[in-house]
């Protein structure tokens, strides 16, 4: 085998990893593709890049389809570029039937920045396997971190399980809402509230933005402890709570989500949004509660990595017996609990 005689190789760093660290955009795109396909030397490259990561600030952007996430992302890119920051964007390719073709749309909405060498925009294909999307997203974020991005914006579509997983890996999570999109507040209640650090109520040029802001304020307030008279109505007549008269107490030092109204299509409110996102970053980096949050997220990420590594190993080791177990359960020859236990027992009996 003919090895390239670069000093990089002599020190054991993969040549492609070396190029990413040298901020070579083409090589970075190539590494992203390898990671996406889990092909070639992608693990060796990721391993070499890892020590050079941890500098970038990752912002997860999620929310109901059509709320204006991509338009807002475009505005955020411009705002961060004004601060001379290098920006990377990961647009997670949606698989849901109602948002097909969004990648093309995203490209159009972010095209202002396609010529800028300090902006790296990457669409992420779905892998279709459990957790595969969040794993790819995490890995690609690491590549872009190593490339030298100061800020990485990760746009996901929808608020499903995959998106929640991805959101959990971001430092700061922005949830984009828009008025008049039905039960959007209801829709995001399941799970996303714990993840949301900042809410953007976009399309504030439309009717109903203030009502959405009030709904969110109420929801955030109910997430804390409502004190004073009237607290007993919590949960039952929550919507009738007069927040002005309530004292809402959140846990000491805890982050209370901030809300900002924006009109992304006119870049209005973007400066204020950046300000609020930066407040969250300052909280993360400067407070004990923030440090605890960062640690919790690292723990989550480790668990995710472990779960997926175990699943990968089990699938490789067990091969067709998984499918046999599925068939046995489908035919009611076996219950899923015993089947899963049997698979685990078989896996443990095999050498790794
Ligand atoms: N009136 C109004 N329209 C907006 C605003 N922001 C975005 N839009 C429009 O809303 C539509 C959807 O915007 P996108 O940025 O693609 O929304 P998205 O959330 O990224 O959509 P998906 O990626 O498909 O989920 C586009 O036609 C935008 O031009 C706004 O502040 N006001
Ligand atoms: Mg979009």
């Amino acid at each position: 085998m003919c090895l390239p005689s670069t000093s990089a190789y002599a020190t054991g760093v993969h040549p492609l990893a070396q190029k990413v660290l040298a901020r070579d955009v083409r090589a970075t795109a190539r590494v992203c593709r390898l990671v996406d396909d889990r092909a070639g030397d992608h693990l060796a490259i990721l391993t070499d890049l890892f020590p050079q990561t941890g500098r970038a600030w990752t912002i997860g952007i999620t929310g109901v389809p059509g709320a204006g996430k991509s338009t807002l992302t475009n505005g955020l890119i411009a705002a961060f570029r004004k601060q001379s920051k290098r920006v990377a964007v990961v647009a997670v390719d949606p698989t849901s039937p109602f948002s097909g073709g969004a990648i093309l749309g995203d490209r159009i909405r972010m095209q202002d920045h396609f010529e800028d060498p300090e902006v790296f925009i990457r669409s992420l294909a779905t892998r279709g396997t459990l957790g595969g999307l969040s794993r790819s997203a995490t890995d690609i974020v690491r590549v872009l971190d190593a490339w030298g991005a100061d800020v990485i914006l990760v746009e996901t579509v929808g608020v499903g399980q995959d998106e929640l997983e991805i959101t959990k890996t971001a430092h700061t999570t922005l949830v984009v809402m828009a008025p008049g999109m039905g039960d959007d507040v209801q829709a995001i209640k399941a799970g996303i509230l714990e993840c949301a650090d900042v809410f953007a109520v976009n399309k504030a040029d439309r009717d109903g933005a203030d009502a959405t802001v009030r709904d969110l304020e109420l929801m955030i307030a109910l997430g804390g402890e409502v004190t004073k008279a009237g607290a007993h109505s919590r949960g039952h007549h929550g919507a009738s709570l007069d927040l002005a008269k309530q004292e809402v107490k959140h846990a000491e030092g805890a982050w209370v989500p901030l809300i900002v109204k924006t009109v992304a299509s006119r870049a209005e409110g973007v400066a204020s949004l950046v300000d609020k996102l930066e407040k969250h970053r300052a909280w993360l980096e400067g407070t004990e509660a923030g440090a605890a949050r960062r640690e919790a997220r690292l723990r989550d990420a480790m668990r995710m990595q472990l779960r997926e590594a175990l699943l990968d190993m089990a699938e490789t080791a067990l091969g067709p017996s998984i499918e046999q177990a599925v068939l046995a359960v489908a035919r009611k020859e076996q219950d899923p609990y015993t089947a899963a236990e049997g698979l685990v027992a078989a896996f443990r009996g095999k050498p790794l």
Side-chain angles (χ1 to χ4, degrees), residues 65-71 102 109 155 157 202-203 205-206 263-265:
K69 296 179 294 295
S70 300
T71 314
R109 278 184 269 294
E155 181 194 337
V157 166
N202 190 41
K203 305 197 184 180
D205 52 330
R206 294 199 178 160
V263 184
S265 47

Side-chain angles (χ1 to χ4, degrees), residues 12 48 86 92 98 108 130 136 162 180 193 200 202 229 241 257 292 299 340:
D48 286 347
R86 306 183 109 213
V92 179
F98 44 79
I108 291 164
L130 179 70
S136 290
D162 265 343
L193 182 62
N202 190 41
L241 276 181
R299 195 170 295 118

Side-chain angles (χ1 to χ4, degrees), residues 100-296:
I103 287 300
L104 182 65
D106 285 347
R107 289 197 165 261
I108 291 164
R109 278 184 269 294
M110 295 180 203
Q111 69 189 354
D112 300 357
H113 306 282
F114 266 96
E115 303 292 308
D116 184 343
E118 302 291 301
V119 176
F120 189 101
I121 299 178
R122 170 84 198 164
S123 300
L124 181 61
T126 58
R127 300 262 58 88
T129 53
L130 179 70
L133 191 59
S134 41
R135 179 169 57 182
S136 290
T138 307
D139 289 344
I140 282 180
V141 162
R142 291 212 174 111
V143 173
L144 298 176
D145 185 341
W147 167 73
D150 297 302
V151 184
I152 304 176
L153 306 169
V154 184
E155 181 194 337
T156 62
V157 166
V159 286
Q161 203 51 46
D162 265 343
E163 287 80 3
L164 271 179
E165 288 279 342
I166 294 170
T167 303
K168 275 188 193 160
T169 64
H171 296 119
T172 301
T173 300
L174 168 65
V175 176
V176 184
M177 316 277 299
M181 298 197 75
D183 295 331
D184 43 6
V185 172
Q186 298 299 329
I188 63 153
K189 260 186 180 168
I192 203 78
L193 182 62
E194 295 105 80
C195 296
D197 299 309
V198 178
F199 285 101
V201 175
N202 190 41
K203 305 197 184 180
D205 52 330
R206 294 199 178 160
D207 288 344
D210 289 327
T212 304
V213 169
R214 278 196 302 277
D215 282 353
L216 284 172
E217 280 170 350
L218 184 70
M219 199 167 81
I220 291 164
L222 295 179
E225 193 187 331
V226 182
T227 57
K228 276 195 177 174
H232 60 274
S233 65
R234 178 182 169 200
H236 293 289
H237 308 288
S240 67
L241 276 181
D242 183 351
L243 286 176
K245 291 186 192 139
Q246 303 293 327
E247 261 180 26
V248 175
K249 218 173 153 220
H250 290 266
E252 187 79 15
W255 176 256
V256 180
L258 299 174
I259 306 171
V260 58
K261 283 198 285 186
T262 57
V263 184
S265 47
R266 299 201 297 252
E268 284 172 28
V270 176
S272 167
L273 174 59
V274 168
D275 178 60
K276 292 190 164 51
L277 294 168
E278 276 169 351
K279 282 203 169 74
H280 183 259
R281 185 187 194 180
W283 173 84
L284 264 187
E285 290 176 352
T287 69
E288 261 178 50
R293 160 82 75 90
R294 275 187 311 185
E295 207 181 295

